[in-house]
Amino acid sequence: MYDVDPDTGFFPSQPLRPLSGEFSLWEKELVEARSVLKLGIDRGQEAFAKCALGEQWRQRLRSWPVLDVTELGDGIRALRRAHYVLTCLLHFYVHSLPPSQRQGQTIIPKPLAVPLVAVSQKLKLPPVLTFADIVLWNWEFVDPEQPLSLKNMRYVNVFSGTDTERNFYLLSAAAELKGVEMLKIIERVVNIPCPTTQSAIAAIKRDFEELVRVIDDLTTIIGDSSQTVHPNTFYWAARPWWNGSNGAAPWVFEGVPPSSFDLGGASAGQSSVMHALDAFLDVDHGLKQGRQPAPSAENRRADTGFMEKMRRYMPEEHRDYLAQVQKRHVRDLVQRTPALREHYNMTVAALKKFRDIHIRVGTLFIISQAKSTPPANMGTLDISPEEGESRSKGTGGNPVSTLLKAGRDATQRTLLKDE
Ligand code: HEM
């Protein structure tokens, strides 16, 4: 019902199979895109050498037939595969365009726009690359006979072709797989009968202790990120591919009635694992509960609707899962059961520590890199000052540090105080 697998969590238990029949055109062109397309802003030698092939690829895309997605049927796996393939094609198309062809508006050609919007509407997802596309649906088994694990998965679509991008996906996958343990704990706590009996309280305390260990593991995963993900390559060569439509040259979907789509682009902020923790502990990112200490002026400047917005980029079933966890009101239960307070607070403190480390990572990978020189093999990038400015912001245009600190402070405010 919520599409949460007991062994693989928010990952599907099997990789999504490539589309067949007439839709194999999209699959074939996606493979081709990986070998001929570079970022449009890239002025390096390799990009220059591939320039003509890239232009041919984009011209071909404009002349594809407009395929009717009703032929895909209503099976969720085929529709998700179509979303994954089409959004990868979309981001390849848009971000490989030379900046001179992105003045004013960015037109998404009809053969891409029409099926993508139709598939997205069926899935209730935005027509843009999401965390689910790049992390949950973008892998294949190394050995199909063995179960899913970090060692037994291979990421397939890597826009920049860099190890940094591949390792970022693996890092996110490591967090998702940790999530499997976490979801089991959450399920146990929210489903415990008569939670205020002595034996239930003892069981819940053990579960909170277990959860602290899982969150600490997540903190280690993210804290060690610079061992495999290179900040400079991440910022200049990988991250631009995930960007959605920004103010400078908004995307226009040809052949589709005008609509205000969510077009923010992919972010680990869309990982349902982290949202499940927030929902379980009842972190108030939206500042709706009047908790203490009162939010700082900087907290108030942050986009307090960011986390809610990020949910719109998640598969519908995962969104529903989070909503039902939230409705269990575990924080209220703890408030009524003082014996649980210390353990609950230990868990919140662990999540706050995760966010402290995450701020450090965000500073190293985004804020510091915005002032850095791009990798030498990309030449002198072709970016306007306006675009340069927006690249140092988070998904949705918020200054990264303001946003991440607001999340950290909202977590701190979740701690239950002595009455
Ligand atoms: C190199 C590693 C990472 C970097 C540089 C990074 C950077 C960022 C940035 C800049 C944001 C602000 C929103 C945006 O721009 O999308 C963000 C948000 C977020 N990221 Fe990460 N991130 C990394 C890894 C991860 C991982 C592995 C996870 C999941 C476990 C994660 C979970 C989140 C969450 C949940 C948010 C929403 C804000 C919050 O909860 O405080 N990030 N991240």
Side-chain angles (χ1 to χ4, degrees):
M1 172 179 176
Y2 296 119
D3 185 39
V4 181
D5 186 281
D7 298 319
T8 60
F10 295 113
F11 278 119
S13 56
Q14 295 287 319
L16 302 178
R17 262 206 305 277
L19 302 172
S20 56
E22 57 183 350
F23 303 105
S24 56
L25 167 74
W26 300 340
E27 298 275 356
K28 188 177 111 271
E29 290 288 10
L30 180 56
V31 174
E32 181 68 7
R34 293 201 277 274
S35 61
V36 300
L37 296 181
K38 302 290 280 182
L39 281 171
I41 53 170
D42 189 335
R43 292 288 190 84
Q45 276 181 3
E46 193 190 341
F48 183 71
K50 288 183 169 174
C51 189
L53 285 174
E55 188 51 41
Q56 283 166 23
W57 184 92
R58 287 187 297 275
Q59 270 180 18
R60 238 182 4 256
L61 181 149
R62 293 181 198 115
S63 65
W64 289 350
V66 180
L67 300 182
D68 177 2
V69 298
T70 49
E71 300 295 319
L72 281 170
D74 285 326
I76 194 132
R77 287 173 56 83
L79 289 172
R80 286 179 172 180
R81 177 75 190 189
H83 192 273
Y84 156 75
V85 175
L86 289 166
T87 52
C88 289
L89 290 166
L90 168 72
H91 284 243
F92 262 126
Y93 180 85
V94 171
H95 295 300
S96 70
L97 282 168
S100 58
Q101 291 182 37
R102 292 191 64 188
Q103 306 281 323
Q105 288 182 330
T106 306
I107 306 289
I108 315 299
K110 205 169 160 180
L112 185 52
V114 170
L116 171 58
V117 170
V119 164
S120 303
Q121 280 168 347
K122 279 178 181 244
L123 288 171
K124 300 203 179 79
L125 276 176
V128 71
L129 196 73
T130 66
F131 180 82
D133 295 300
I134 53 176
V135 175
L136 301 182
W137 304 338
N138 181 20
W139 56 276
E140 59 189 17
F141 278 125
V142 175
D143 177 356
E145 303 302 317
Q146 298 301 317
L148 180 63
S149 70
L150 277 187
K151 287 217 161 71
N152 194 31
M153 68 196 301
R154 186 185 302 123
Y155 274 94
V156 180
N157 190 68
V158 180
F159 290 96
S160 61
T162 58
D163 283 342
T164 276
E165 184 182 339
R166 194 171 288 111
N167 290 338
F168 176 77
Y169 298 150
L170 281 169
L171 181 82
S172 307
E176 290 297 309
L177 290 174
K178 266 285 137 204
V180 178
E181 291 166 50
M182 197 182 89
L183 297 179
K184 285 195 180 121
I185 300 170
I186 292 180
E187 281 309 296
R188 274 202 305 269
V189 175
V190 297
N191 291 317
I192 201 158
C194 311
T196 50
T197 60
Q198 288 262 304
S199 61
I201 288 174
I204 296 175
K205 281 183 176 176
R206 279 196 301 277
D207 279 330
F208 276 133
E209 283 165 15
E210 193 54 33
L211 196 50
V212 168
R213 275 191 285 277
V214 173
I215 300 172
D216 285 349
D217 288 347
L218 287 171
T219 306
T220 306
I221 289 171
I222 193 161
D224 289 348
S225 50
S226 59
Q227 289 178 9
T228 55
V229 183
H230 189 263
N232 190 255
T233 309
F234 174 87
Y235 181 82
W236 293 105
R239 192 168 179 258
W241 288 106
W242 308 323
N243 283 346
S245 172
N246 62 24
W251 299 357
V252 176
F253 290 84
E254 202 177 53
V256 173
S259 184
S260 52
F261 298 119
D262 286 312
L263 293 172
S267 157
Q270 296 155 7
S271 154
S272 303
V273 161
M274 299 309 296
H275 283 250
L277 267 179
D278 284 338
F280 176 68
L281 296 170
D282 190 14
V283 178
D284 175 26
H285 288 286
L287 305 184
K288 293 180 183 147
Q289 313 272 339
R291 292 183 185 160
Q292 295 300 319
S296 66
E298 190 189 13
N299 288 164
R300 291 192 182 283
R301 272 200 305 279
D303 178 358
T304 52
F306 180 78
M307 293 303 267
E308 215 170 292
K309 243 183 304 188
M310 290 296 103
R311 287 204 191 178
R312 305 208 291 261
Y313 293 79
M314 294 175 191
E316 189 189 12
E317 298 76 4
H318 299 172
R319 237 179 285 155
D320 292 346
Y321 172 78
L322 298 174
Q324 69 85 26
V325 171
Q326 201 138 15
K327 279 197 205 123
R328 310 309 277 264
H329 300 296
V330 168
R331 190 170 186 270
D332 292 349
L333 164 74
V334 177
Q335 237 159 351
R336 293 194 306 273
T337 322
L340 288 173
R341 180 176 306 164
E342 189 189 340
H343 280 72
Y344 170 85
N345 276 351
M346 268 166 27
T347 317
V348 173
L351 182 57
K352 189 222 161 231
K353 194 170 112 206
F354 171 90
R355 290 205 155 103
D356 279 329
I357 302 296
H358 190 246
I359 292 171
R360 237 175 50 200
V361 172
T363 307
L364 171 65
F365 280 76
I366 315 280
I367 300 169
S368 306
Q369 298 311 315
K371 301 176 210 126
S372 74
T373 317
N377 64 359
M378 293 179 82
T380 307
L381 299 189
D382 189 1
I383 46 173
S384 62
E386 190 191 10
E387 206 194 325
E389 159 89 349
S390 79
R391 285 158 63 91
S392 63
K393 294 198 171 147
T395 307
N398 240 232
V400 165
S401 64
T402 307
L403 182 73
L404 298 183
K405 281 184 195 157
R408 187 262 323 266
D409 295 347
T411 310
Q412 173 79 12
R413 240 172 265 125
T414 313
L415 288 171
L416 286 168
K417 326 278 178 302
D418 289 335
E419 262 134 38

